[in-house]
Amino acid sequence: MDLPFGIRRITTPLPTRPGHVHSYLLPGDDGWTLVDTGIGLPDAQEVWAASLDGAEVARIFVTHFHPDHVGAAADVAELTGAPVSQGELDYSQCELVWGNPEWPRRIADWFLAHGVPSEITEELIGSGDVYRPFIRFQRDPILVDDGDALDGWELVAAPGHADGQLCLLKDRVLVSADHLLGRISPTVGLWPASRPDPLGDFLESLERTIELAPEIALPGHGDPIADPVGRARELIEHHRERLAFTEASLTDRPRTGYEVSLDLFGAELKAASRRFAVAETLSHLERLVLEERAERREASGDDSGGVAYTARQLGRRAL
Ligand SMILES: [Zn+2]
């Protein structure tokens, strides 16, 4: 595939959908900048050795801490001797989630509070333990942030899919990672310890993409995006529709994020997919609360701290 400026793309397999993830090699005077590292499957280092085929990697950049992007960072760093740069906020979340043996329990409790049945949350704890060995992030990376330069590329914050998601921009080429995907709508979920309004963040990030007006976007999954501005507009519209649908599924009776997720995503999901469905539902519900189109009810006392949502009570403000 011909990419602008001699950029190279390396695709590695994923055991789960969408089945692949793209990394990019950006050419520079002192060697390549490698963007993202794929998941840390047991043979990651051999796969990378073969893919790089002697290419001189000067630095590694991780766009966000999700397993398919950060997973093999330590392997590739060891293989190439190149330093790893990662966003400051993103790295703190990376440590919190993947460097913390208590995290699966914490996330299970949080999903319980949002109405997810315990069979599903227990399964999530089990699958979290299965995935953990495949996430070998690099400890103590060089911390970077929005507006910083990396070998002539500008780092552009695009919170939403991940709070600390960073893209790279140069000469109207956007290496978008999972902020902008062609055919898939990037997941935008509310998670424990995440920023309070990920969907609001995402919609703002899309507006910023429209202002930056890139001519091509190179995503973490799927084909290059020939019309990034048009795609950003489509995603904004998609979420406006999803917000309306979410609002319509609320009533006077409090409903949990889990219950609403059954309306939005159907009842036939495996535990791992339900996790994303509930997180995505919650990001929409929280946006509706902020737009005063829904209300959140939190159970007081110690009865597991349940959270539920109702339709906005018209006139409540006036009382
Ligand atoms: Zn991804």
Short mmCIF file of all heavy atoms in Angstrom, two decimals, residues 107-122 124 256-259 261 271 274-275 278-279 282:
data_model
loop_
_atom_site.label_atom_id
_atom_site.label_comp_id
_atom_site.label_asym_id
_atom_site.label_seq_id
_atom_site.Cartn_x
_atom_site.Cartn_y
_atom_site.Cartn_z
N ILE A 107 -13.19 -3.24 38.60
CA ILE A 107 -14.06 -3.03 37.44
C ILE A 107 -15.31 -3.91 37.57
O ILE A 107 -16.41 -3.50 37.22
CB ILE A 107 -13.27 -3.26 36.13
CG1 ILE A 107 -13.86 -2.40 35.03
CG2 ILE A 107 -13.21 -4.68 35.69
CD1 ILE A 107 -12.95 -2.20 33.86
N ALA A 108 -15.15 -5.09 38.14
CA ALA A 108 -16.30 -5.97 38.35
C ALA A 108 -17.29 -5.32 39.31
O ALA A 108 -18.51 -5.32 39.07
CB ALA A 108 -15.84 -7.33 38.87
N ASP A 109 -16.80 -4.74 40.41
CA ASP A 109 -17.69 -4.09 41.38
C ASP A 109 -18.42 -2.91 40.74
O ASP A 109 -19.60 -2.66 41.00
CB ASP A 109 -16.89 -3.57 42.59
CG ASP A 109 -16.42 -4.72 43.46
OD1 ASP A 109 -16.91 -5.86 43.29
OD2 ASP A 109 -15.52 -4.49 44.31
N TRP A 110 -17.70 -2.20 39.90
CA TRP A 110 -18.29 -1.03 39.24
C TRP A 110 -19.41 -1.46 38.29
O TRP A 110 -20.48 -0.86 38.23
CB TRP A 110 -17.15 -0.31 38.49
CG TRP A 110 -17.50 1.00 37.89
CD1 TRP A 110 -17.59 2.20 38.54
CD2 TRP A 110 -17.76 1.27 36.52
NE1 TRP A 110 -17.88 3.20 37.64
CE2 TRP A 110 -18.00 2.65 36.40
CE3 TRP A 110 -17.82 0.48 35.37
CZ2 TRP A 110 -18.29 3.26 35.19
CZ3 TRP A 110 -18.11 1.08 34.16
CH2 TRP A 110 -18.34 2.45 34.08
N PHE A 111 -19.17 -2.54 37.55
CA PHE A 111 -20.22 -3.04 36.66
C PHE A 111 -21.42 -3.57 37.46
O PHE A 111 -22.57 -3.39 37.05
CB PHE A 111 -19.68 -4.12 35.72
CG PHE A 111 -19.03 -3.54 34.48
CD1 PHE A 111 -17.70 -3.75 34.20
CD2 PHE A 111 -19.77 -2.77 33.59
CE1 PHE A 111 -17.12 -3.22 33.06
CE2 PHE A 111 -19.19 -2.22 32.45
CZ PHE A 111 -17.86 -2.45 32.19
N LEU A 112 -21.15 -4.21 38.60
CA LEU A 112 -22.25 -4.66 39.47
C LEU A 112 -23.12 -3.47 39.87
O LEU A 112 -24.35 -3.54 39.85
CB LEU A 112 -21.70 -5.32 40.74
CG LEU A 112 -21.26 -6.79 40.64
CD1 LEU A 112 -20.59 -7.20 41.96
CD2 LEU A 112 -22.42 -7.72 40.31
N ALA A 113 -22.47 -2.35 40.21
CA ALA A 113 -23.21 -1.15 40.62
C ALA A 113 -24.06 -0.60 39.47
O ALA A 113 -25.05 0.09 39.70
CB ALA A 113 -22.23 -0.07 41.10
N HIS A 114 -23.67 -0.93 38.23
CA HIS A 114 -24.45 -0.48 37.08
C HIS A 114 -25.40 -1.56 36.58
O HIS A 114 -25.87 -1.52 35.45
CB HIS A 114 -23.51 0.00 35.97
CG HIS A 114 -22.91 1.34 36.25
ND1 HIS A 114 -23.64 2.51 36.18
CD2 HIS A 114 -21.67 1.71 36.65
CE1 HIS A 114 -22.86 3.54 36.51
NE2 HIS A 114 -21.67 3.08 36.81
N GLY A 115 -25.68 -2.54 37.45
CA GLY A 115 -26.74 -3.51 37.18
C GLY A 115 -26.32 -4.75 36.41
O GLY A 115 -27.16 -5.57 36.05
N VAL A 116 -25.02 -4.92 36.16
CA VAL A 116 -24.58 -6.09 35.39
C VAL A 116 -24.67 -7.33 36.30
O VAL A 116 -24.19 -7.29 37.44
CB VAL A 116 -23.14 -5.91 34.87
CG1 VAL A 116 -22.66 -7.15 34.15
CG2 VAL A 116 -23.07 -4.69 33.95
N PRO A 117 -25.32 -8.41 35.84
CA PRO A 117 -25.47 -9.61 36.67
C PRO A 117 -24.10 -10.19 37.08
O PRO A 117 -23.13 -10.11 36.31
CB PRO A 117 -26.22 -10.60 35.77
CG PRO A 117 -26.87 -9.77 34.72
CD PRO A 117 -25.97 -8.56 34.53
N SER A 118 -24.06 -10.80 38.26
CA SER A 118 -22.76 -11.24 38.80
C SER A 118 -22.13 -12.36 37.97
O SER A 118 -20.91 -12.46 37.92
CB SER A 118 -22.90 -11.67 40.26
OG SER A 118 -23.85 -12.69 40.37
N GLU A 119 -22.95 -13.19 37.26
CA GLU A 119 -22.32 -14.22 36.41
C GLU A 119 -21.41 -13.55 35.38
O GLU A 119 -20.34 -14.04 35.05
CB GLU A 119 -23.31 -15.07 35.61
CG GLU A 119 -24.54 -15.55 36.29
CD GLU A 119 -25.65 -14.52 36.23
OE1 GLU A 119 -26.33 -14.39 35.20
OE2 GLU A 119 -25.82 -13.84 37.27
N ILE A 120 -21.89 -12.42 34.85
CA ILE A 120 -21.11 -11.73 33.81
C ILE A 120 -19.88 -11.07 34.42
O ILE A 120 -18.78 -11.17 33.88
CB ILE A 120 -21.99 -10.69 33.07
CG1 ILE A 120 -23.16 -11.40 32.38
CG2 ILE A 120 -21.16 -9.90 32.07
CD1 ILE A 120 -24.11 -10.49 31.64
N THR A 121 -20.03 -10.43 35.58
CA THR A 121 -18.87 -9.74 36.16
C THR A 121 -17.81 -10.75 36.59
O THR A 121 -16.62 -10.50 36.46
CB THR A 121 -19.26 -8.84 37.35
OG1 THR A 121 -19.89 -9.64 38.35
CG2 THR A 121 -20.18 -7.73 36.92
N GLU A 122 -18.24 -11.92 37.08
CA GLU A 122 -17.25 -12.94 37.47
C GLU A 122 -16.49 -13.43 36.23
O GLU A 122 -15.28 -13.67 36.28
CB GLU A 122 -17.93 -14.11 38.18
CG GLU A 122 -18.42 -13.78 39.59
CD GLU A 122 -17.36 -13.14 40.49
OE1 GLU A 122 -16.22 -13.67 40.54
OE2 GLU A 122 -17.63 -12.10 41.10
N LEU A 124 -15.89 -11.71 33.65
CA LEU A 124 -14.97 -10.63 33.26
C LEU A 124 -13.67 -10.70 34.05
O LEU A 124 -12.59 -10.48 33.51
CB LEU A 124 -15.62 -9.27 33.49
CG LEU A 124 -16.68 -8.86 32.49
CD1 LEU A 124 -17.26 -7.51 32.85
CD2 LEU A 124 -16.09 -8.82 31.09
N THR A 256 -30.95 0.71 34.93
CA THR A 256 -29.49 0.70 35.05
C THR A 256 -28.85 0.78 33.66
O THR A 256 -29.49 0.52 32.64
CB THR A 256 -28.99 -0.59 35.72
OG1 THR A 256 -29.35 -1.69 34.88
CG2 THR A 256 -29.59 -0.77 37.11
N GLY A 257 -27.57 1.09 33.66
CA GLY A 257 -26.82 1.09 32.41
C GLY A 257 -26.90 -0.26 31.72
O GLY A 257 -26.99 -0.35 30.49
N TYR A 258 -26.88 -1.33 32.52
CA TYR A 258 -26.99 -2.68 31.94
C TYR A 258 -28.32 -2.85 31.22
O TYR A 258 -28.35 -3.30 30.07
CB TYR A 258 -26.84 -3.73 33.04
CG TYR A 258 -27.12 -5.14 32.56
CD1 TYR A 258 -26.22 -5.79 31.73
CD2 TYR A 258 -28.29 -5.79 32.92
CE1 TYR A 258 -26.47 -7.07 31.27
CE2 TYR A 258 -28.56 -7.08 32.46
CZ TYR A 258 -27.65 -7.71 31.64
OH TYR A 258 -27.90 -8.98 31.18
N GLU A 259 -29.42 -2.45 31.88
CA GLU A 259 -30.75 -2.61 31.26
C GLU A 259 -30.84 -1.82 29.95
O GLU A 259 -31.34 -2.32 28.94
CB GLU A 259 -31.84 -2.13 32.22
CG GLU A 259 -32.13 -3.04 33.37
CD GLU A 259 -33.18 -2.44 34.30
OE1 GLU A 259 -32.84 -1.48 35.03
OE2 GLU A 259 -34.31 -2.92 34.28
N SER A 261 -28.45 -0.98 28.07
CA SER A 261 -27.56 -1.59 27.06
C SER A 261 -28.27 -2.73 26.32
O SER A 261 -27.94 -3.02 25.17
CB SER A 261 -26.26 -2.09 27.69
OG SER A 261 -26.41 -3.38 28.28
N ALA A 271 -19.87 -12.01 27.50
CA ALA A 271 -19.48 -11.12 28.60
C ALA A 271 -18.52 -10.03 28.14
O ALA A 271 -18.68 -8.86 28.48
CB ALA A 271 -18.85 -11.94 29.73
N ARG A 274 -20.38 -7.48 26.23
CA ARG A 274 -21.32 -6.76 27.10
C ARG A 274 -20.60 -5.65 27.86
O ARG A 274 -21.13 -4.58 28.10
CB ARG A 274 -22.00 -7.74 28.06
CG ARG A 274 -22.97 -7.10 29.05
CD ARG A 274 -24.15 -6.45 28.36
NE ARG A 274 -24.91 -7.39 27.57
CZ ARG A 274 -25.82 -7.04 26.65
NH1 ARG A 274 -26.08 -5.77 26.41
NH2 ARG A 274 -26.45 -7.96 25.96
N ARG A 275 -19.37 -5.94 28.24
CA ARG A 275 -18.58 -4.95 28.96
C ARG A 275 -18.49 -3.64 28.17
O ARG A 275 -18.73 -2.56 28.69
CB ARG A 275 -17.18 -5.53 29.17
CG ARG A 275 -16.24 -4.67 29.88
CD ARG A 275 -15.07 -5.51 30.31
NE ARG A 275 -14.14 -5.71 29.22
CZ ARG A 275 -12.83 -5.49 29.33
NH1 ARG A 275 -12.35 -5.09 30.47
NH2 ARG A 275 -12.04 -5.69 28.32
N VAL A 278 -22.03 -1.94 27.86
CA VAL A 278 -22.48 -1.20 29.04
C VAL A 278 -21.67 0.09 29.18
O VAL A 278 -22.23 1.16 29.44
CB VAL A 278 -22.35 -2.07 30.31
CG1 VAL A 278 -22.65 -1.25 31.57
CG2 VAL A 278 -23.30 -3.28 30.24
N ALA A 279 -20.36 0.01 28.97
CA ALA A 279 -19.52 1.22 29.09
C ALA A 279 -19.95 2.28 28.06
O ALA A 279 -20.02 3.47 28.36
CB ALA A 279 -18.05 0.87 28.90
N LEU A 282 -23.22 3.81 29.09
CA LEU A 282 -23.03 4.76 30.19
C LEU A 282 -22.45 6.08 29.69
O LEU A 282 -22.81 7.14 30.21
CB LEU A 282 -22.11 4.14 31.26
CG LEU A 282 -22.77 3.01 32.07
CD1 LEU A 282 -21.71 2.29 32.90
CD2 LEU A 282 -23.87 3.56 32.97
#
